[in-house]
Amino acid sequence: MKKTRKLILGCIIIAVAVGVLIYKYHWSNIDSNAYLSSSARGEKSFEVCDSNGQDKANSQKFNFKKFDGRWSLMKFTSNKGNKVNIIDNTKIEAGKFYIVVLDSKYKIVAKKNEARDKGNIKITIPKDGEYTIRIAGEKASGKFDISVNAKKNVDISHVDFWS
């Protein structure tokens, strides 16, 4: 009887651990690649967003509070082999915040966790096509500030928050 209880308890612990791992790394968890690369238009919200008209053709800059969700805010077209550098001066004061670059099939080309990863995002474009710069946040506050430059020209467009 004691062996049976230990076996049942062990199975329950393993089932709970597997459930937690599946939730954490797959479903609607901001830390999961599935969430960051989803093609679904997710909910997004800001409490405060102040851009002061500082956006330029190749950059985007704004202050924000309590950002939740995903926003694909810039798109660019580039050729295979082009070296693209996203200069990142973002400063996050609270919450979780990611910058992700996706290809046209929503596959992650580059990912930066602002709490953990330092420096700029450097990419060698794997194939001709359109790429998306997406941000994802969970109760995130701070200053978003990136600019995009490349060895060869890239065609950059901005996506409105409400789109």
Side-chain angles (χ1 to χ4, degrees), residues 36 48 71 75-76 147 159:
L36 294 171
V48 174
W71 176 19
K75 293 185 180 282
F76 65 91
S147 61
V159 180

Side-chain angles (χ1 to χ4, degrees), residues 31 92 94-99 112-118:
D31 299 313
I92 301 303
K96 293 181 179 182
F97 193 83
Y98 286 86
I99 299 173
K112 182 176 181 187
N113 177 338
E114 286 291 333
R116 186 183 62 224
D117 304 327
K118 305 296 178 212

Side-chain angles (χ1 to χ4, degrees), residues 30 64-69 92 94-96 137-141:
I30 188 172
F64 62 94
K65 290 186 180 175
K66 297 185 181 177
F67 172 58
D68 284 309
I92 301 303
K96 293 181 179 182
E138 183 178 88
K139 297 181 179 99
S141 298

Side-chain angles (χ1 to χ4, degrees), residues 42-56:
E43 295 282 322
K44 57 187 181 262
S45 65
F46 280 106
E47 184 175 285
V48 174
C49 179
D50 173 28
S51 68
N52 292 325
Q54 299 174 19
D55 298 341
K56 295 181 182 170

Side-chain angles (χ1 to χ4, degrees), residues 139-162:
K139 297 181 179 99
S141 298
K143 175 184 149 196
F144 178 74
D145 181 359
I146 66 165
S147 61
V148 180
N149 62 40
K151 189 170 185 174
K152 299 174 190 166
N153 286 341
V154 292
D155 181 29
I156 300 172
S157 62
H158 296 261
V159 180
D160 185 62
F161 181 76
W162 305 111

Side-chain angles (χ1 to χ4, degrees), residues 3-21:
K3 258 187 173 175
T4 305
R5 282 187 182 174
K6 285 183 181 182
L7 182 61
I8 291 171
L9 183 59
C11 289
I12 291 171
I13 290 171
I14 290 171
V16 169
V18 168
V20 167
L21 289 174

